[in-house]
Amino acid sequence: MADGNVQDIGSRTSVAPAEGVTYATPRAKLIDEANLAIQGDLANYPRALSAYNALRGDPEALAHWDMANYVTMRKLGYNDHGRVHAFITGAASMAITELLLEAGVKPDIIESGVGDEDDVFLTVILGTMLHDIGNQIHRVSHEAFGVTLALPILDRILGDIYEDPFKRTKIRAFILASINCHDLNPSPLTIEGGITAVADGTDITKGRGRKAFALGSVDIHSISALAVDQVVIRRGRDKPVRIDVTMNNSGGIFQVEEVLAPKVIRTPLRQYVELRASVRESGEEQILSRVRLDGDHFVMDLESGKRVEVEVQDSQKKMVEAVAANLNVGAESR
């Protein structure tokens, strides 16, 4: 998405305005294509573009991405969490940010008076691209580890952009909050944090799962990821942002329900994002034709013509609630 003209990253083919704003998440190792998309989105935002260019060439950041990927893929058998994931989610976050601003949504940096749109884009791109670096230490508490590891990088980059230490420190706080809350543990409180979380959740297509599958990780995560062909971010009809997930097999619904949907409904972006999933016509024998998120429920349109509603199974939220219940947290009034 660049200068208001939205393009498919693989082919760089413009989409007619009448068809709506679309953005297709680049796959596999298309870092160059993702970079072109981000560069285009930030062309009119000099501070954000400077920060992005500094980050993508930072040796420490490059090492963090590689080590995070080594631990998650080689030691845990998870999907990609390294450099490719950073660039892909970075590109997705830019598309979401642009659509929100276009619709008149005021992110917290603007609402609080800390900065302008340039500062918003800077915050989102840095927070999103650094969100998973804590995995190099361990998956457990990787959000908090990521905050610690990001500090020296942010201080170097922001120090060259913001002369005022007062503003620089406030901008850094927004970025660190995005890193700390991207996996909903805890849930983000800011629009910027919500963008990072949702952008992270959009990276669920088969290119990401293929490598983990090839390395021998055969589980519901890798298999369901192989069932997702495409994620498209476009201008919504009723809300500023619409995310369309196209699957070649209904097994991909696990990725939508467990990964993406919670990051929509448990962030400040809930009121601004529509989420829909469908199985392509040339895929498996269809059981359902479409799934859409309505509040905290999925509404499924079956091929039989029936409509079924089911609550989103947010397993992480249930685990937190179970722990809180056992510890008797919240039993006393505040």
Side-chain angles (χ1 to χ4, degrees):
M1 182 181 296
D3 300 326
N5 297 317
V6 183
Q7 303 169 328
D8 182 298
I9 300 309
S11 63
R12 307 296 294 173
T13 302
S14 296
V15 177
E19 298 178 9
V21 179
T22 66
Y23 171 89
T25 305
R27 285 295 356 141
K29 292 192 174 183
L30 301 181
I31 290 179
D32 289 342
E33 286 81 359
N35 173 54
L36 286 175
I38 296 170
Q39 295 275 1
D41 287 337
L42 298 181
N44 296 321
Y45 302 100
R47 291 191 297 277
L49 182 60
S50 177
Y52 166 69
N53 284 326
L55 176 65
R56 70 188 182 95
D58 188 276
E60 192 171 348
L62 293 171
H64 284 335
W65 288 324
D66 286 351
M67 286 306 301
N69 215 31
Y70 176 78
V71 171
T72 53
M73 296 196 71
R74 293 289 179 175
K75 295 301 180 180
L76 296 173
Y78 287 3
N79 295 338
D80 167 51
H81 284 74
R83 197 181 310 189
V84 177
H85 179 57
F87 276 84
I88 287 173
T89 55
S93 74
M94 295 293 89
I96 295 171
T97 302
E98 187 167 2
L99 287 170
L100 290 173
L101 289 171
E102 179 187 86
V105 176
K106 287 188 177 182
D108 285 87
I109 284 178
I110 296 176
E111 185 69 25
S112 66
V114 170
D116 56 19
E117 290 188 359
D118 199 347
D119 300 310
V120 171
F121 276 101
L122 179 148
T123 295
V124 171
I125 194 62
L126 293 185
T128 302
M129 292 190 67
L130 290 172
H131 75 269
D132 259 343
I133 62 175
N135 280 288
Q136 66 187 280
I137 297 177
H138 203 286
R139 181 64 180 174
V140 176
S141 301
H142 74 282
E143 307 95 334
F145 291 137
V147 168
T148 301
L149 293 170
L151 277 169
I153 298 175
L154 294 177
D155 286 342
R156 279 198 304 276
I157 293 175
L158 299 181
D160 291 335
I161 297 174
Y162 299 100
E163 294 183 1
D164 179 7
F166 190 69
K167 180 173 181 177
R168 181 172 67 242
T169 302
K170 288 189 174 184
I171 294 293
R172 189 184 69 175
F174 280 102
I175 300 170
L176 294 177
S178 296
I179 295 172
N180 189 56
C181 300
H182 77 271
D183 215 23
L184 310 182
N185 186 30
S187 297
L189 302 175
T190 65
I191 294 290
E192 291 83 356
I195 295 171
T196 291
V198 172
D200 181 31
T202 63
D203 191 18
I204 55 175
T205 61
K206 58 187 178 184
R208 190 180 187 201
R210 186 174 292 117
K211 188 171 183 180
F213 191 87
L215 290 172
S217 177
V218 182
D219 58 17
I220 186 61
H221 295 278
S222 60
I223 292 174
S224 62
L226 293 175
V228 179
D229 279 343
Q230 186 182 45
V231 176
V232 177
I233 301 170
R234 69 176 80 234
R235 183 187 296 118
R237 294 179 181 176
D238 302 317
K239 296 182 180 181
V241 180
R242 173 171 162 177
I243 302 175
D244 286 323
V245 180
T246 303
M247 305 176 290
N248 58 63
N249 185 289
S250 58
I253 198 65
F254 175 85
Q255 289 287 312
V256 178
E257 182 178 3
E258 287 284 323
V259 178
L260 180 53
K263 294 197 171 190
V264 172
I265 66 177
R266 289 181 56 197
T267 73
L269 263 62
R270 174 173 179 160
Q271 60 184 312
Y272 304 121
V273 176
E274 303 172 25
L275 174 58
R276 302 190 178 214
S278 60
V279 180
R280 59 179 172 81
E281 293 183 3
S282 58
E284 65 175 16
E285 181 178 352
Q286 292 193 15
I287 299 172
L288 56 85
S289 60
R290 185 179 64 176
V291 179
R292 59 186 171 83
L293 186 66
D294 186 2
D296 57 0
H297 284 71
F298 279 121
V299 178
M300 296 183 287
D301 296 323
L302 306 182
E303 284 297 299
S304 63
K306 293 182 179 179
R307 177 169 293 179
V308 178
E309 293 190 19
V310 294
E311 185 179 0
V312 172
Q313 297 301 308
D314 189 343
S315 57
Q316 186 180 63
K317 180 181 179 181
K318 289 185 176 181
M319 180 181 68
V320 172
E321 290 175 346
V323 171
N326 279 297
L327 294 176
N328 203 28
V329 175
E332 298 179 1
S333 59
R334 296 181 179 180

